[in-house]
C-alpha cells in the first residue's frame, strides 16, 4: 500500500511537471503577443492656448501611430515648474521661449529637438454684451474702466507680453492698479466671458474661439516681444522616439492646416 501510494504521488508529480512544461511556452507567447499589441503612450505638456489645436492633433496622431496621447494644459510657467520637479512629461510646447530657455539651462530638454513651431498675436477683448468700447488703448485709463484680466505678468507668457505692451505704449502706470492677474490665458478668457472684468488680454487664437467676447483692440507686434511657441523633447523620457515622431508630425501639411484653422501662424 505504501509503495502504491508512493508510485501514485510520483505519477501525479510527473503529470504536473509535464503540463507545466507545455503550458509555460504558451503563456510566454501570449505575454509576448500582448506586449506587441500594447499601445504606446505619450504625455505632452502644452500651453493653455494650445488646448483645442493639440487636442485635435493628438487624436489624429493616435489613430495613425498606435499611440495614446495624454495632454496636460496649463500656463507655460506652471508647466515649466512641474517639469523641473520631475513631472512625467515627454514633450513640452511653451507659449514663450522664456520657459524653454529655463529648462534648457538646466539640461532638462534635448537641445537638438528644440524648434519654434508657431506664432500668435495679442488682443484686448471685452464681453459681447458689455458696454465698453475703446478706439485708443489710452482710454483704458478712464475711471469707468475698473478691471482688466491678465495672465500673471511675472510668469504667464500672455501676461508678460501684455505688461510689456502697456509699458512700451506708455500706459502701464495708468492701468497697473486695474489689472486682475490670473493663472493662464484661458482663465482670462473665462473671466471676461462671464463679465467679471471689463477687458481681458488674450491671444487672438483664444478670442476667435469664443462667441461671448469681441476684440476691442489688437496690440501692434512692435509693442511686445515676438510671440513664439517652441517645442522640445524632455531629457530622460523613455519615450524619446515617440516624442520626436510627434514633433515631426507637427511639421506635416495636415497638422499645419489644423493650426491655421485655429488662427496660429506656422513657423516655416
Amino acid at each position: 500500500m505504501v509503495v502504491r501510494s508512493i508510485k501514485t504521488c510520483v505519477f501525479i508529480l510527473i503529470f504536473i511537471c509535464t503540463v507545466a512544461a507545455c503550458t509555460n511556452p504558451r503563456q510566454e507567447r501570449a505575454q509576448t503577443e500582448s506586449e506587441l499589441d500594447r499601445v504606446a503612450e505619450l504625455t505632452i505638456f502644452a500651453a493653455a492656448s494650445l488646448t483645442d489645436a493639440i487636442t485635435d492633433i493628438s487624436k489624429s496622431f493616435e489613430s495613425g501611430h498606435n499611440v495614446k496621447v495624454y495632454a496636460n494644459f496649463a500656463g507655460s510657467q506652471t508647466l515649466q515648474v512641474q517639469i523641473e520637479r520631475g513631472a512625467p512629461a515627454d514633450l513640452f510646447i511653451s507659449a514663450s521661449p522664456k520657459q524653454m530657455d529655463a529648462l534648457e539651462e538646466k539640461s532638462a530638454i534635448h537641445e537638438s529637438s528644440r524648434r519654434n513651431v508657431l506664432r500668435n498675436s495679442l488682443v484686448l477683448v471685452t464681453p459681447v454684451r458689455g458696454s465698453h468700447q475703446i478706439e485708443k488703448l489710452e482710454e483704458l485709463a478712464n475711471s469707468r474702466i475698473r478691471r482688466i484680466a491678465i495672465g500673471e505678468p511675472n510668469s504667464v507668457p500672455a501676461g508678460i507680453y501684455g505688461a510689456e505692451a502697456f509699458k512700451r505704449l506708455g500706459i502701464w502706470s495708468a492701468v497697473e492698479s486695474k489689472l486682475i492677474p490670473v493663472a493662464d490665458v484661458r482663465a482670462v478668457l473665462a473671466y471676461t466671458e462671464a463679465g467679471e472684468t471689463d477687458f481681458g488680454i488674450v491671444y487672438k487664437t483664444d478670442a476667435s474661439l469664443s462667441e461671448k467676447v469681441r476684440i476691442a483692440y489688437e496690440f501692434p507686434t512692435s509693442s511686445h516681444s515676438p510671440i513664439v511657441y517652441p517645442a522640445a523633447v524632455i531629457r530622460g523620457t523613455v519615450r524619446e522616439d515617440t516624442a520626436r515622431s510627434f514633433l515631426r508630425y507637427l511639421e506635416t501639411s495636415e497638422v499645419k492646416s489644423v493650426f491655421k484653422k485655429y488662427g496660429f501662424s506656422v513657423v516655416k
Side-chain angles (χ1 to χ4, degrees):
M1 292 294 292
V2 173
V3 172
R4 184 177 299 176
S5 298
I6 292 175
K7 288 182 178 179
T8 302
C9 290
V10 171
F11 175 78
I12 293 173
L13 193 60
I14 292 173
F15 177 78
I16 292 174
C17 290
T18 302
V19 172
C22 294
T23 304
N24 284 345
R26 294 179 184 176
Q27 291 176 337
E28 290 176 1
R29 284 197 297 272
Q31 184 177 0
T32 301
E33 291 170 357
S34 177
E35 289 175 352
L36 289 174
D37 292 338
R38 188 179 299 161
V39 176
E41 296 180 351
L42 181 69
T43 301
I44 300 173
F45 279 32
S49 54
L50 290 167
T51 300
D52 302 274
I54 291 298
T55 297
D56 282 2
I57 292 167
S58 295
K59 290 178 181 177
S60 60
F61 184 77
E62 286 178 336
S63 61
H65 295 78
N66 196 35
V67 174
K68 176 61 181 176
V69 179
Y70 299 93
N72 177 27
F73 298 106
S76 298
Q77 172 68 15
T78 298
L79 297 175
Q80 174 203 327
V81 172
Q82 290 176 351
I83 292 171
E84 289 174 342
R85 293 178 178 176
D90 302 312
L91 183 70
F92 179 40
I93 310 176
S94 174
S96 167
K98 179 180 178 181
Q99 287 73 33
M100 195 67 77
D101 290 343
L103 291 176
E104 185 170 341
E105 289 175 3
K106 296 182 179 180
S107 299
I109 64 169
H110 285 284
E111 294 86 348
S112 63
S113 71
R114 180 174 175 172
R115 64 199 68 183
N116 293 331
V117 292
L118 301 168
R119 296 184 185 277
N120 212 334
S121 55
L122 198 68
V123 297
L124 187 75
V125 294
T126 190
V128 168
R129 296 182 179 181
S131 59
H132 293 296
Q133 295 185 6
I134 61 170
E135 294 183 2
K136 297 180 180 180
L137 197 63
E138 290 78 5
E139 293 177 47
L140 292 178
N142 193 301
S143 59
R144 64 187 175 85
I145 297 172
R146 296 179 296 175
R147 296 164 62 86
I148 303 170
I150 185 173
E152 170 55 54
N154 295 316
S155 58
V156 177
I160 293 174
Y161 294 130
E164 190 177 354
F166 282 145
K167 291 173 182 177
R168 288 190 185 183
L169 296 172
I171 64 167
W172 173 254
S173 59
V175 300
E176 184 178 8
S177 63
K178 302 181 181 187
L179 300 180
I180 309 299
V182 296
D184 57 55
V185 71
R186 286 301 172 92
V188 172
L189 185 64
Y191 269 85
T192 310
E193 287 178 331
E196 296 293 330
T197 61
D198 301 318
F199 291 94
I201 298 175
V202 299
Y203 296 120
K204 193 171 184 177
T205 52
D206 297 298
S208 67
L209 293 171
S210 176
E211 297 180 353
K212 297 180 180 180
V213 299
R214 57 182 173 80
I215 296 176
Y217 180 85
E218 186 163 353
F219 290 89
T221 55
S222 59
S223 67
H224 54 76
S225 302
I227 301 175
V228 179
Y229 290 66
V233 177
I234 302 302
R235 188 178 296 278
T237 173
V238 296
R239 305 181 182 92
E240 182 179 342
D241 290 344
T242 305
R244 288 182 181 272
S245 177
F246 190 89
L247 269 182
R248 291 191 295 271
Y249 186 62
L250 295 183
E251 298 175 340
T252 63
S253 57
E254 174 188 354
V255 170
K256 287 180 179 179
S257 65
V258 175
F259 280 131
K260 290 178 180 178
K261 180 183 74 172
Y262 284 104
F264 292 95
S265 297
V266 178
V267 175
K268 297 181 180 180

